């Protein structure tokens, strides 16, 4: 299956949203493929008909999802906890690592990567971007402010700048490496072991196409063993059904971070999404999204529009295109059924694997028209 294989056309039929919309907005929220909706609906059907008769089966199914999610990022199942969103995962990580000291992050970050540290009074040093690019040298020990932890997004929400996680793993030099995968997981492969990531938090509702509430956090075995969690619930312990009110015997796995009864529907949606993406193949998806992104960038530039996202090694599946009055531009496109996100400098266009060259063309046409209308009202 190559980046231009006809199979990509067939895949579109799995996404009901695509018959209604030109959906170039997975960087905000990904539409659901049918198997994901079916997994969540199946759970609600079982709950509606049987109450908690399926509790044991659901618990078992959740563990199967945990194993699939772990394989997706090359972690151990014991290192994965289900969380509703990035912010929850990041707070779990910060509770484990905050006492270690200052953090090195950067100015392109989405705030869920930085605020949980700042809120706890932990200094966060902000690396500047140079022409929209975060350079690995800026994070190198000796060239950057001293820090116990590097906290970065794999792909930046602001301009799509993609980092080479393997390079970060190589230069971390005794520091913890914490990664936000919300703008990359589902579009690009991540291997937490090969890249020496200590902890990773992600939402499920963007490129993973799993819907809201379907995030997860990876915490390496080393960190689980080294630091007790700040928060626990009744299911964080070894034998929850002994209902022991006198002592906390923590589970040895990342399940200790999950507070109370599981959110089964989003967990099953996440499992179906990871299975769906894995069947296509994450390497193939990465090839496809990069191809579509390059195609979009080329077409925009040919029409004289300015692309603010970095290319080359830092290219991702997001393109920030400079336009006057970005909210008006996004509204103009929306009128035509084309969904993108307004940003301060322009509109962010996200090309996921299910998007087509025709959709890219119609977005380019609409932007050209918008710029003409805007400059000669
Ligand atoms: C890099 C990044 N992290 C996290 C989020 C979302 O955070 P949360 O999952 O906590 O809502 C976004 C966008 O919404 C994002 O772009």
């Amino acid at each position: 299956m190559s980046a231009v294989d006809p199979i990509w056309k067939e895949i579109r039929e799995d996404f009901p949203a695509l018959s209604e919309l030109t959906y170039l907005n997975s960087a905000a929220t990904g539409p659901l493929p049918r198997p994901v909706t079916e997994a969540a609906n199946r759970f609600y059907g079982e709950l509606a008909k049987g109450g908690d008769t399926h509790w044991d089966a659901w618990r078992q199914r959740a563990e199967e999802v945990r194993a699939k999610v772990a394989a997706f990022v090359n972690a151990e199942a014991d290192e994965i906890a289900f969380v509703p969103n990035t912010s929850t995962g990041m707070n779990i990580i910060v509770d484990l690592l905050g006492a270690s000291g200052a953090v090195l992050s950067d100015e392109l970050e989405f705030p869920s990567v930085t605020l949980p540290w700042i809120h706890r009074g932990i200094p966060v040093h902000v690396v500047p971007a140079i022409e929209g690019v975060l350079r690995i040298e800026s994070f190198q020990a000796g060239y950057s402010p001293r820090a116990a932890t590097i906290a970065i997004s794999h792909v930046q929400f602001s301009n799509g700048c993609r980092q080479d996680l393997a390079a970060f793993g190589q230069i971390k030099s005794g520091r913890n490496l914490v990664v936000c995968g919300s703008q990359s997981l589902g579009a690009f492969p991540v291997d937490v072991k090969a890249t020496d990531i200590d902890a990773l938090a992600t939402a499920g509702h963007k490129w993973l196409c799993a819907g809201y509430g379907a995030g997860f956090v990876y915490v390496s075995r080393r960190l689980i063993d080294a630091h007790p969690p700040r928060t626990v619930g009744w299911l964080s312990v070894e034998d929850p059904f002994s209902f022991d009110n006198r002592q906390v015997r923590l589970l040895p796995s990342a399940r200790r971070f999950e507070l109370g009864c599981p959110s089964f529907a989003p967990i099953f949606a996440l499992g179906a999404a990871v299975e769906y993406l894995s069947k296509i193949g994450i390497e193939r998806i990465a090839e496809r999204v990069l191809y579509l992104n390059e195609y979009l960038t080329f077409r925009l530039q040919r029409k004289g529009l300015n692309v603010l996202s970095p290319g080359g090694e830092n290219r991702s599946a997001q393109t920030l295109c400079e336009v006057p009055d970005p909210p008006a531009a996004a509204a103009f496109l929306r009128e035509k059924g084309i969904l993108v996100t307004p940003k301060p400098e322009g509109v962010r266009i996200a090309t996921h694997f299910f998007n087509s060259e025709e959709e890219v063309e119609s977005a380019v046409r609409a932007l050209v028209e918008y710029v003409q209308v805007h400059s000669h009202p």
Side-chain angles (χ1 to χ4, degrees):
M1 197 195 293
S2 79
V4 289
D5 201 290
I7 192 79
W8 298 114
K9 270 214 166 83
E10 283 170 35
I11 276 171
R12 290 175 59 78
E13 285 161 26
D14 294 336
F15 291 84
L18 305 184
S19 56
E20 307 279 321
L21 297 164
T22 299
Y23 200 87
L24 296 163
N25 214 18
S26 296
T29 300
L32 303 189
R34 284 181 215 283
V36 172
T37 316
E38 284 161 12
N41 286 348
R42 176 185 168 195
F43 165 74
Y44 282 120
E46 289 167 348
L47 183 62
K49 288 196 190 134
D52 96 334
T53 19
H54 299 283
W55 169 265
D56 289 336
W58 293 332
R59 292 274 280 165
Q60 174 60 32
R61 213 183 291 163
E63 292 317 303
E64 287 160 16
V65 173
R66 196 186 307 277
K68 275 183 209 156
V69 168
F72 193 64
V73 293
N74 193 27
E76 298 297 323
D78 276 359
E79 297 170 310
I80 300 293
F82 299 117
V83 291
N85 47 41
T86 328
S87 302
T88 307
M90 204 49 84
N91 274 275
I92 288 169
I93 295 168
V94 175
D95 277 340
L96 300 180
L97 290 179
S100 317
V103 173
L104 192 58
S105 193
D106 60 84
E107 68 176 0
L108 300 181
E109 285 304 328
F110 192 78
S112 45
V113 178
T114 52
L115 297 188
W117 309 91
I118 296 169
H119 176 63
R120 288 163 178 77
I122 301 155
V124 175
H125 303 299
V126 177
V127 166
I130 300 165
E131 290 172 1
V133 173
L134 296 168
R135 299 230 181 112
I136 187 81
E137 307 87 80
S138 315
F139 294 84
Q140 216 140 9
Y143 294 90
S144 53
R146 206 180 275 272
T149 300
I150 299 173
I152 49 153
S153 288
H154 185 190
V155 171
Q156 294 299 341
F157 86 110
S158 42
N159 70 350
C161 179
R162 180 164 60 108
Q163 299 310 133
D164 177 355
L165 294 180
F168 273 85
Q170 278 158 14
I171 60 108
K172 63 189 256 194
S173 173
R175 295 168 292 181
N176 303 295
L177 179 56
V178 172
V179 172
C180 169
S182 293
Q183 288 293 1
S184 74
L185 281 176
F188 293 99
V190 171
D191 181 326
V192 293
K193 300 288 177 205
T195 51
D196 207 5
I197 295 172
D198 296 285
L200 174 146
T202 188
H205 66 268
K206 295 177 185 289
W207 304 86
L208 280 167
C209 299
Y212 297 104
F216 69 90
V217 60
Y218 155 76
V219 181
S220 68
R221 166 56 51 199
R222 180 180 71 81
L223 293 190
I224 294 172
D225 291 344
H227 307 279
R230 281 279 168 86
T231 53
V232 294
W234 72 281
L235 285 171
S236 305
V237 299
E238 287 276 12
D239 184 12
F241 291 94
S242 67
F243 304 110
D244 188 345
N245 287 309
R246 298 184 195 283
Q247 58 176 341
V248 180
R249 289 198 302 120
L250 283 172
L251 279 167
S253 73
R255 272 171 56 206
R256 58 171 60 176
F257 303 120
E258 293 172 4
L259 301 182
C261 284
S263 300
F264 286 117
I267 292 170
F268 299 155
L270 175 65
V274 163
E275 193 172 313
Y276 181 83
L277 297 168
S278 301
K279 262 192 205 145
I280 299 171
I282 196 66
E283 300 283 351
R284 285 180 178 143
I285 289 176
E287 200 188 317
R288 169 79 178 167
V289 300
L290 287 173
Y291 157 75
L292 286 173
N293 179 277
E294 267 177 44
Y295 181 67
L296 170 63
T297 303
F298 172 74
R299 296 294 299 139
L300 289 169
Q301 288 172 337
R302 279 287 295 240
K303 295 289 179 189
L305 290 159
N306 193 20
V307 172
L308 299 171
S309 296
E313 295 290 292
N314 298 107
R315 184 182 295 280
S316 68
Q318 287 176 45
T319 304
L320 183 59
C321 175
E322 189 178 26
V323 286
D325 194 352
F332 185 87
L333 265 63
R334 203 186 181 104
E335 281 287 301
K336 297 176 184 296
I338 303 169
L339 265 82
V340 298
T341 303
K343 290 277 159 200
E345 311 85 353
V347 288
R348 181 184 64 188
I349 308 163
T351 44
H352 212 345
F353 63 91
F354 50 73
N355 289 123
S356 65
E357 289 88 335
E358 293 77 26
E359 287 177 323
V360 167
E361 285 297 343
S362 59
V364 174
R365 257 197 320 274
L367 279 172
V368 169
E369 191 187 337
Y370 167 75
V371 172
Q372 278 166 358
V373 170
H374 192 271
S375 49
H376 306 290

